[in-house]
Amino acid sequence: MFFRSTVAAIGKYLPDNCVQNADLPQQLETSDEWIRERTGIAQRHIAAPHETTAFMATEAAKQALLAAGIAIDQVDAIILATTTPDNGFPATATRVQALLGMKRGFAFDVQAVCSGFVYALAIADNFIKTGQVKTVLLIGAEAFSRIVDWNDRGTCVLFGDGAAALVLTAADCASLNGKIASKEQGILSTHLYSDGTGYDLLYIDHTIDTPTKRGAVVMHGREIFKSAVQKIGEAVEKALEANALTIPDIDWFVPHQANARIIKGVIDRFNLPSEKVVVTVDKHANTSAASIPLALCEAVHDGRIQKGQLVLIEAMGGGLTWASAVIRW
Ligand code: UT7
């Protein structure tokens, strides 16, 4: 017996405090014009002290479970993609497990920065495909505002906070040998990549050797920007190839939301119709591992993404890591 992972429902949480570009601290010497032109960002949600990664993840998960009509005691695993855990250890997913009152199964975090959601999706999919679990809460949650240097205009204006969660459930796979028939709903493919030679391009300058230092994000944005479209392009090509698809077959392209110019580069490279691309970077800024599920959630809730449609997602981030997946919603 083979299984496929299907999306039962999706939910999200965004902090109440929404900060417009014009409301950023004056001493940053930035401007609405610079931020919009270089990134497409107009605003970002910033977490209050009680809105920790676990808190936001839990709220998003509750919404997804409610929408799926699935009780917490039916969930076998929580997989949380985050770069901003509540503590160095244990996994923030275990705190979410406790907050949800889940007394069974297992919970762990996945750390692949902005690619974290696609990495976690691939892990969840493999657990489900092998029949090891039936129901997974898959969450992307970040409180990036807590790890940026609020004196560094080159990074702090780019990021935002939030969380989104998917409930994935196992369905029988009609086709043979574990390969999902392309018309069946579910996760059709995942492709993960990393290149550790890019480790120093995006990191947090805090290590276990400097425990008293409060770390902050360091980013060599221009270098990352240069390789982004090419690396994302590779992952998109693999995703299409693996499913014998071409761009016109794709109903929705949901990219990681780091920079509108990177998204535009991918749109141009693949000649993607812009009306098929879900863009939320203007409203959410870069929410790292939460960006794709937040964008998916928005497009599902406003009725754009419909059951049975083909959705292609891609991400790139620290590591460097990059990834893609195709989901028949
Ligand atoms: O999601 C994880 C992966 N990360 C990414 O994908 C980020 C990829 N990189 C980017 O999105 C872009 O490189 C940035 C948005 C980060 C920066 O845009 P850029 O066009 O590469 O600008 P830059 O860093 O080369 O800076 C250009 C100028 C500099 O001034 P000078 O040296 O030319 O006088 C910066 O100091 O813009 C200045 N600058 C700012 N000015 C006003 C940098 N940040 C700001 C700011 N406001 N917030």
Side-chain angles (χ1 to χ4, degrees):
M1 176 79 82
F2 293 104
F3 300 95
R4 63 197 151 92
S5 320
T6 59
V7 182
I10 186 163
K12 73 169 197 292
Y13 180 86
L14 286 165
D16 287 338
N17 182 22
C18 183
V19 178
Q20 306 296 314
N21 290 342
D23 298 332
L24 287 163
Q26 285 231 317
Q27 71 271 15
L28 281 177
E29 294 182 2
T30 186
S31 66
D32 180 47
E33 190 193 2
W34 190 96
I35 300 171
R36 279 180 198 262
E37 245 173 44
R38 300 288 178 125
T39 70
I41 296 165
Q43 60 177 43
R44 75 285 294 137
H45 291 259
I46 302 290
H50 73 283
E51 291 171 316
T52 65
T53 294
F55 176 88
M56 293 189 286
T58 304
E59 292 306 307
K62 281 183 194 165
Q63 204 188 84
L65 287 167
L66 190 68
I70 285 176
I72 192 62
D73 59 6
Q74 292 170 263
V75 175
D76 301 309
I78 297 174
I79 306 180
L80 171 63
T82 189
T83 302
T84 50
D86 285 9
N87 292 85
F89 76 86
T92 299
T94 59
R95 181 172 264 176
V96 175
Q97 185 184 25
L99 288 169
L100 290 171
M102 177 179 162
K103 298 197 168 61
R104 59 192 291 275
F106 58 93
F108 64 92
D109 291 356
V110 171
Q111 160 61 293
V113 207
C114 298
S115 307
F117 176 74
V118 192
Y119 270 60
L121 179 84
I123 295 166
D125 183 41
N126 282 302
F127 271 121
I128 288 175
K129 279 201 294 212
T130 56
Q132 202 169 335
V133 303
K134 292 262 180 252
T135 304
V136 179
L137 249 178
L138 168 67
I139 312 171
E142 299 282 18
F144 243 74
S145 66
R146 294 207 171 90
I147 60 164
V148 290
D149 174 355
W150 279 97
N151 294 308
D152 175 13
R153 67 179 182 174
T155 52
C156 70
V157 305
L158 306 174
F159 294 94
D161 303 333
L166 272 66
V167 178
L168 297 180
T169 53
D172 287 351
C173 196
S175 60
L176 294 176
N177 304 324
K179 177 106 175 105
I180 298 168
S182 64
K183 294 286 170 215
E184 286 179 329
Q185 273 175 293
I187 298 168
L188 301 186
S189 67
T190 56
H191 287 88
L192 310 183
Y193 305 91
S194 66
D195 174 4
T197 62
Y199 187 95
D200 296 324
L201 292 178
L202 177 53
Y203 62 97
I204 184 153
D205 60 349
H206 158 96
T207 68
I208 52 168
D209 296 326
T210 56
T212 52
K213 180 172 180 167
R214 191 185 176 281
V217 171
V218 179
M219 182 165 80
H220 298 276
R222 196 173 276 188
E223 281 73 16
I224 297 173
F225 194 101
K226 273 188 212 153
S227 57
V229 176
Q230 182 236 327
K231 286 193 171 359
I232 291 166
E234 255 173 51
V236 168
E237 272 164 12
K238 288 285 179 202
L240 294 171
E241 214 177 280
N243 297 288
L245 295 169
T246 58
I247 287 292
D249 298 319
I250 300 298
D251 295 301
W252 295 103
F253 178 67
V254 186
H256 168 50
Q257 311 283 324
N259 186 318
R261 289 189 294 144
I262 296 177
I263 297 173
K264 169 89 170 48
V266 180
I267 289 178
D268 291 348
R269 174 168 171 167
F270 288 97
N271 231 343
L272 275 156
S274 55
E275 62 277 11
K276 285 185 169 187
V277 183
V278 178
V279 178
T280 52
V281 68
D282 53 334
K283 283 183 273 193
H284 301 158
N286 183 349
T287 56
S288 184
S291 96
I292 294 173
L294 277 170
L296 285 169
C297 194
E298 180 159 317
V300 168
H301 286 176
D302 68 18
R304 274 178 289 172
I305 297 180
Q306 298 282 330
K307 281 271 173 229
Q309 289 189 321
L310 272 181
V311 180
L312 198 162
I313 64 176
E314 55 80 353
M316 188 202 163
L320 295 177
T321 54
W322 62 104
S324 63
V326 179
I327 306 167
R328 188 172 289 284
W329 204 260

